[in-house]
Amino acid sequence: QVQLVESGGGLVQAGGSLRLSCAASGGTFSRFQMGWFRQAPGKEREFVAAINRNERDTEYSDSVKDRFTISRDNGQKKVYLQMNSLKIEDTGVYYCASRHVILSAYISLQPTDYAYWGQGTQVTVSS
């Protein structure tokens, strides 16, 4: 059974930075595509960023492109989300998710394609 545990959330002022981490256990981490999603109060869960199992191919939502960076360490079984220039609208619960893929798979932006989820970590950006 795959388990994902996020950490690194907190309260930060607009313009600040946070680094989220997600530690995985169970399964073969190097075979998983990893994604970050977020959910603001009263809104649906939305895609933020994802990285393929090759540690190179990435996708970002337009709202975070050029501000956030996703990375992974297959040896440590961790995925990271470096968030810079944070905005108030970045506030929400951030979830780590994974799905098992073949090496050449496309990167999915759809939450329903991800089989495993963490419990989430709260990110609050204040003015």
Side-chain angles (χ1 to χ4, degrees):
Q1 182 71 14
V2 176
Q3 291 188 322
L4 304 173
V5 179
E6 303 95 335
S7 61
L11 175 64
V12 63
Q13 284 192 326
S17 298
L18 280 175
R19 188 192 195 208
L20 305 183
S21 298
C22 172
S25 61
T28 304
F29 184 77
S30 60
R31 295 180 181 177
F32 285 100
Q33 191 174 100
M34 301 299 298
W36 286 98
F37 295 79
R38 67 187 181 190
Q39 188 165 18
K43 294 188 177 182
E44 291 188 353
R45 192 168 298 188
E46 65 172 357
F47 171 78
V48 174
I51 186 166
N52 218 341
R53 50 183 283 185
N54 61 11
E55 300 183 274
R56 295 191 307 272
D57 298 336
T58 58
E59 287 284 352
Y60 296 92
S61 69
D62 288 341
S63 62
V64 308
K65 200 171 293 183
D66 299 326
R67 298 188 298 120
F68 290 11
T69 302
I70 188 171
S71 61
R72 66 187 291 166
D73 184 331
N74 285 349
Q76 294 293 320
K77 296 184 180 182
K78 288 186 176 181
V79 62
Y80 306 97
L81 186 68
Q82 178 66 45
M83 305 186 295
N84 298 330
S85 303
L86 282 161
K87 304 177 181 180
I88 292 175
E89 52 263 41
D90 293 320
T91 294
V93 179
Y94 282 69
Y95 297 92
C96 174
S98 69
R99 71 183 196 121
H100 187 268
V101 295
I102 60 174
L103 189 58
S104 59
Y106 69 95
I107 294 178
S108 174
L109 281 56
Q110 300 301 319
T112 52
D113 287 339
Y114 289 77
Y116 304 102
W117 292 82
Q119 82 289 349
T121 185
Q122 177 70 44
V123 171
T124 303
V125 184
S126 65
S127 58

